[in-house]
Amino acid sequence: MLIHKTRNQSGFTLLELLVVMVIIGLLAGFVAPRYFAQVGKSQVKVAKAQVDALDKALDQYRLDVGRYPTTEEGLASLQAAPTGIDASTWSGPYLKKGVPNDPWGRPYLYVSPGEHGDFDLSSLGKDGRPGGTGEDADITNWSN
């Protein structure tokens, strides 16, 4: 009488592993672009909110000092009184934290007097160049 010993083989075959990897790759291909699009949209929203907050801080500065900071004084005057103004009129700092960079790591552009109003405040978007669409579009205080 012959007794056949059978071995229980557990685990996955190479084909099964490849099928699972292809499925995971396809799912990642569908989900990743949507996820990264949401990240880009949220960076634009953050930039718009920061421009709005800086706009309001600059208005408060003008109410206290009687004018907006010059281009040379810049946004730094929201944190520390610029030289040459009456320190008793400056009631800052006008921001809880320092002046932020835009979500892409670049400083906001500030010009006073501006071409579009008393001052122009802008971020050049993700690409760092004027113009653009979508995430690359400029975020400004005059078109918000």
Side-chain angles (χ1 to χ4, degrees), residues 62-142:
R62 184 188 58 81
L63 288 172
D64 291 345
V65 176
R67 62 171 179 79
Y68 288 107
T70 64
T71 301
E72 292 77 27
E73 292 169 341
L75 296 175
S77 60
L78 296 174
Q79 284 302 112
T83 57
I85 68 163
D86 182 8
S88 65
T89 61
W90 189 85
S91 300
Y94 296 95
L95 298 169
K96 291 181 181 180
K97 298 179 181 178
V99 178
N101 284 335
D102 70 13
W104 302 280
R106 292 182 295 275
Y108 285 98
L109 305 175
Y110 174 77
V111 178
S112 178
E115 294 179 18
H116 305 279
D118 293 325
F119 64 90
D120 291 350
L121 180 62
S122 63
S123 165
L124 296 178
K126 183 178 181 178
D127 65 354
R129 292 181 290 184
T133 59
E135 293 175 48
D136 295 335
D138 299 347
I139 293 120
T140 63
N141 68 319
W142 62 88

Side-chain angles (χ1 to χ4, degrees), residues 14-39:
L14 181 60
L15 182 61
E16 291 170 329
L17 288 174
L18 287 174
V19 168
V20 169
M21 297 211 22
V22 167
I23 291 171
I24 290 172
L26 288 172
L27 288 173
F30 288 120
V31 172
R34 292 182 185 189
Y35 170 75
F36 288 115
Q38 293 301 321
V39 170

